[in-house]
Amino acid sequence: MDNELKYGLGNYQQMRRLVLAVLVVVLFLALLFGQSTFPPDTPVHETIEMFGVLLIFLGIVGRLWSTLYIGGRKSSEVVTGGPYSITPNPLYVFSTIAAAGVGAQIGSFSGIILFALLCAGAFHIVILREEKFLKEALGAPYAAYLARVPRFFPKLSLYQEGDTGSFKPRLLLTTLLDGLVFLIALPAFELIDGAQQSGMLPVWFTLP
């Protein structure tokens, strides 16, 4: 039974990684031909990009923090400490924050919102399927936990430190490597900016 639970949860973890990769690739391709209404090297454009870098690092650090608490325990017990005391899905929340940071690399406010909404929407589908699985695996305690904690947007007033359980370096490394996909956006968008400025890439639309 334990192996079945681990296998089932593994499918959702693979799905999460796939969603992350597909979102980054699709949005990257879509924005190959898009540009901010704020020209490169202007204060507004640069400020938005730097804000996005902060969001990306916040997302990566938040994902690592979440893994310290949940690593290897998600299908065996209800974890309610640390980030899991304020939302059942901190990994998805921090991934969405990092995705918003990726959107900021175009130098556009709309890019931040667009990337965050698309990421949150895609994860919402994964969350609903994962909840169904965990309700079957963990029963009434998990259902009671879901009733107490908001599904996605963290409720900071509920925060409790809790117990991190046993530390698993392998899981932490896996989460770090997953998060590095967001950092690819930094040099990628610089290359896109340069190609658009030189005329190598056409600009089909602009985002404010």
Side-chain angles (χ1 to χ4, degrees), residues 16 20 59 63 90-100 119 123 182:
R16 180 174 65 233
L20 277 175
R63 284 169 51 81
L91 281 166
Y92 298 121
V93 171
F94 284 114
S95 295
T96 300
I97 291 172
C119 190
F123 280 140
F182 295 111

Side-chain angles (χ1 to χ4, degrees), residues 17-193:
R17 291 203 265 290
L18 181 61
V19 167
L20 277 175
V22 170
L23 278 172
V24 170
V25 171
V26 168
L27 294 173
F28 170 75
L29 292 175
L31 293 178
L32 272 175
F33 307 106
Q35 193 177 71
S36 171
T37 53
F38 305 110
D41 301 323
T42 60
V44 175
H45 190 285
E46 295 293 327
T47 300
I48 294 173
E49 284 188 346
M50 288 307 299
F51 177 64
V53 172
L54 291 176
L55 290 179
I56 289 173
F57 278 101
L58 175 60
I60 292 173
V61 171
R63 284 169 51 81
L64 292 173
W65 179 42
S66 302
T67 300
L68 283 174
Y69 279 84
I70 199 67
R73 298 196 291 163
K74 194 165 190 174
S75 62
S76 60
E77 62 182 285
V78 181
V79 178
T80 60
Y84 288 88
S85 66
I86 55 178
T87 174
N89 300 290
L91 281 166
Y92 298 121
V93 171
F94 284 114
S95 295
T96 300
I97 291 172
V102 172
Q105 297 313 301
I106 197 175
S108 160
F109 294 113
S110 299
I112 296 175
I113 297 171
L114 175 65
F115 275 49
L117 288 178
L118 287 175
C119 190
F123 280 140
H124 181 69
I125 298 172
V126 180
I127 287 170
L128 292 179
R129 296 181 63 183
E130 190 175 277
E131 281 182 2
K132 182 180 179 181
F133 168 79
L134 290 174
K135 282 179 182 177
E136 295 177 357
L138 301 176
Y142 184 74
Y145 166 63
L146 290 183
R148 186 176 75 251
V149 181
R151 173 177 283 149
F152 190 79
F153 294 102
K155 187 175 181 180
L156 300 181
S157 63
L158 295 176
Y159 183 79
Q160 296 178 354
E161 188 63 34
D163 179 20
T164 60
S166 58
F167 177 70
K168 295 181 174 60
R170 180 183 58 81
L171 294 175
L172 201 63
L173 178 61
T174 299
T175 301
L176 176 62
L177 294 176
D178 287 346
L180 292 181
V181 69
F182 295 111
L183 291 178
I184 296 173
L186 302 181
F189 278 98
E190 289 299 321
L191 290 174
I192 291 173
D193 273 345

